[in-house]
């Protein structure tokens, strides 16, 4: 991991869950991590808690990836202060449960927000980052197992569509980078199964304590370890897809039905 010392990583959604775990681990191996999030104060707190054994650092910058202006401002600041980026982890994500055919205004805005964060935000962050990357650039898109399979209907709608789109974009960016002569920039689509994070509360699960006991869950640190593995590979190896699930994960109808009493969505 010596090769990553003093390199620059940008992580979107670094304020909690997977993004926070990745920010800490990348700082530990010597990277300067720019952690983007709306709750930048949480990223600052993360930074202040890094131990003395940590050779890198975390720098917080407030950014709402659902806003193109906010993304542009963040990457302008990065360019002015660091001039280049070696790793981009597109991690910011919005969960959405409930029927997409629900006609309420609440669902209408939730749909837009989920597309803006999970898809448009990832596309625009990548478009801003690539011109700042050199030959050794690495882009990791945090997709999902729901980018490979659609769970039981009416439970987690639209979210899988955004993650299928993330998977497609990962391959589209990989190919386009080759076509424009940036073939050394690597692109990975990382697809975790269920991970114990705040995303379920944000998506409408009221009793997350009970929820987390229903199925096996990964810890954010497990996903971060998968990212460290991607970083450990030689520059001429591109892991294009990496799926990581908790042992025994089964997202069939019987299991999905168990969550029906724990939710406040339709
Ligand atoms: N947990 C799972 O089971 C699971 C499984 C597969 C994939 N994933 C994916 O993993 C990624 C991280 O999610 P998580 O599970 O770690 O959930 P989390 O703890 O809720 O973290 C979500 C992160 O996204 C950020 N975010 C949300 N909206 C944003 C916006 N408009 N602008 C900037 N940042 C925004 C949040 O930061 P702020 O609120 O501070 O802005 C937060 O740091 C997501 O892409 C998610 O889809 C999660």
């Amino acid at each position: 991991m010596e090769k990553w010392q003093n390199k620059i990583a940008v992580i979107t959604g670094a304020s909690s869950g997977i993004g926070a775990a990745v920010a800490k681990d990348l700082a530990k191996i010597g990277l300067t991590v720019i952690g983007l999030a709306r709750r930048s104060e949480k990223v600052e707190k993360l930074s202040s808690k890094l131990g003395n054994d940590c050779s890198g650092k975390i720098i917080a910058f407030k950014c709402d990836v659902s806003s193109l202006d906010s993304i542009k401002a963040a990457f302008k600041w990065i360019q002015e202060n660091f001039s280049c980026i070696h790793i981009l982890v597109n991690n910011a994500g919005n969960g959405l449960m409930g029927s997409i055919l629900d006609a309420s205004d609440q669902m209408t805005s939730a749909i837009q927000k989920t597309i803006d964060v999970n898809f448009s935000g990832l596309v625009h962050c990548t478009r801003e980052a690539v011109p700042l990357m050199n030959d050794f650039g690495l882009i990791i898109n945090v997709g999902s197992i729901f980018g490979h399979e659609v769970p039981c209907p009416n439970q987690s709608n639209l979210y899988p569509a955004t993650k299928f789109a993330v998977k497609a974009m990962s391959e589209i960016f990989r190919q386009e980078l080759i076509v424009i002569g940036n073939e050394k920039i690597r692109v990975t689509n990382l697809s975790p199964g269920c991970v114990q994070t705040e995303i379920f509360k944000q998506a409408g699960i009221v009793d997350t304590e009970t929820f987390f006991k229903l199925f096996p869950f990964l810890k954010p640190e497990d996903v971060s370890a998968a990212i460290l593995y991607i970083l450990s590979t030689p520059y001429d190896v591109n892991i294009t897809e990496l799926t990581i699930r908790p042992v025994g994960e089964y997202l069939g109808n019987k299991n999905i039905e168990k969550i029906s009493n724990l939710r406040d969505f339709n």
Side-chain angles (χ1 to χ4, degrees):
M1 291 300 200
E2 194 67 16
K3 63 186 175 186
W4 295 112
Q5 280 279 340
N6 302 318
K7 299 283 195 296
I8 310 292
V10 176
I11 304 176
T12 68
S15 60
S16 71
I18 296 168
V22 176
K24 274 192 279 184
D25 280 349
L26 297 202
K28 272 186 204 155
I29 62 164
L31 280 129
T32 295
V33 175
I34 299 153
L36 306 182
R38 292 167 302 175
R39 296 171 294 169
S40 53
E41 66 286 355
K42 290 197 78 176
V43 184
E44 273 158 21
K45 204 167 172 187
L46 206 65
S47 171
S48 69
K49 284 186 175 166
L50 289 176
N52 292 334
D53 58 329
C54 179
S55 54
K57 57 185 165 191
I58 300 175
I59 298 164
F61 194 86
K62 202 181 191 69
C63 176
D64 179 345
V65 300
S66 68
S67 152
L68 184 54
D69 286 348
S70 184
I71 291 173
K72 281 186 174 289
F75 281 88
K76 185 168 183 280
W77 178 82
I78 291 166
Q79 181 174 21
E80 285 166 1
N81 289 278
F82 302 93
S83 66
C84 72
I85 296 172
H86 301 93
I87 299 174
L88 170 67
V89 183
N90 279 311
N91 164 78
N94 191 68
L96 177 62
M97 291 178 168
S99 168
I100 197 167
L101 296 177
D102 165 1
S104 69
D105 290 344
Q106 194 189 350
M107 182 53 77
T108 305
S109 65
I111 288 169
Q112 194 54 52
K113 188 175 169 191
T114 306
I115 294 170
D116 288 347
V117 174
N118 296 8
F119 181 66
S120 307
L122 176 143
V123 169
H124 291 303
C125 285
T126 307
R127 292 179 73 242
E128 293 294 321
V130 165
L132 304 182
M133 284 185 158
N134 63 17
D135 271 357
F136 304 108
L138 173 61
I139 299 165
I140 300 175
N141 294 327
V142 181
S144 167
I145 200 68
F146 290 160
H148 299 256
E149 59 185 81
V150 177
C152 182
N154 211 22
Q155 301 287 345
S156 182
N157 294 343
L158 192 83
Y159 179 86
T162 63
K163 294 300 184 178
F164 270 78
V166 167
K167 182 165 165 256
M169 281 316 304
S170 299
E171 182 58 11
I172 289 164
F173 277 128
R174 193 186 73 81
Q175 291 186 18
E176 199 173 316
L177 283 162
I178 296 168
V179 171
I180 65 169
N182 282 3
E183 67 278 354
K184 288 188 178 163
I185 296 180
R186 298 177 285 165
V187 185
T188 300
N189 188 59
L190 176 64
S191 302
C194 286
V195 191
Q196 197 165 328
T197 70
E198 293 175 12
I199 202 167
F200 296 101
K201 184 152 261 173
Q202 173 262 303
I205 300 281
V206 181
D207 182 359
T208 46
E209 206 182 324
T210 307
F211 177 70
F212 289 141
K213 290 181 188 141
L214 291 180
F215 326 108
F217 281 85
L218 294 167
K219 297 265 181 287
E221 292 71 23
D222 300 322
V223 182
S224 184
I227 288 186
L228 289 178
Y229 170 67
I230 295 164
L231 265 58
S232 76
T233 58
Y235 287 125
D236 57 356
V237 173
N238 188 167
I239 297 179
T240 52
E241 173 65 49
L242 198 154
T243 301
I244 171 169
R245 306 182 79 142
V247 170
E249 179 170 76
Y250 170 68
L251 299 170
N253 287 7
K254 272 190 190 155
N255 265 351
I256 295 287
E257 276 164 15
K258 287 186 198 165
I259 70 173
S260 54
N261 297 330
L262 303 174
R263 58 185 192 165
D264 71 351
F265 51 87
N266 297 322

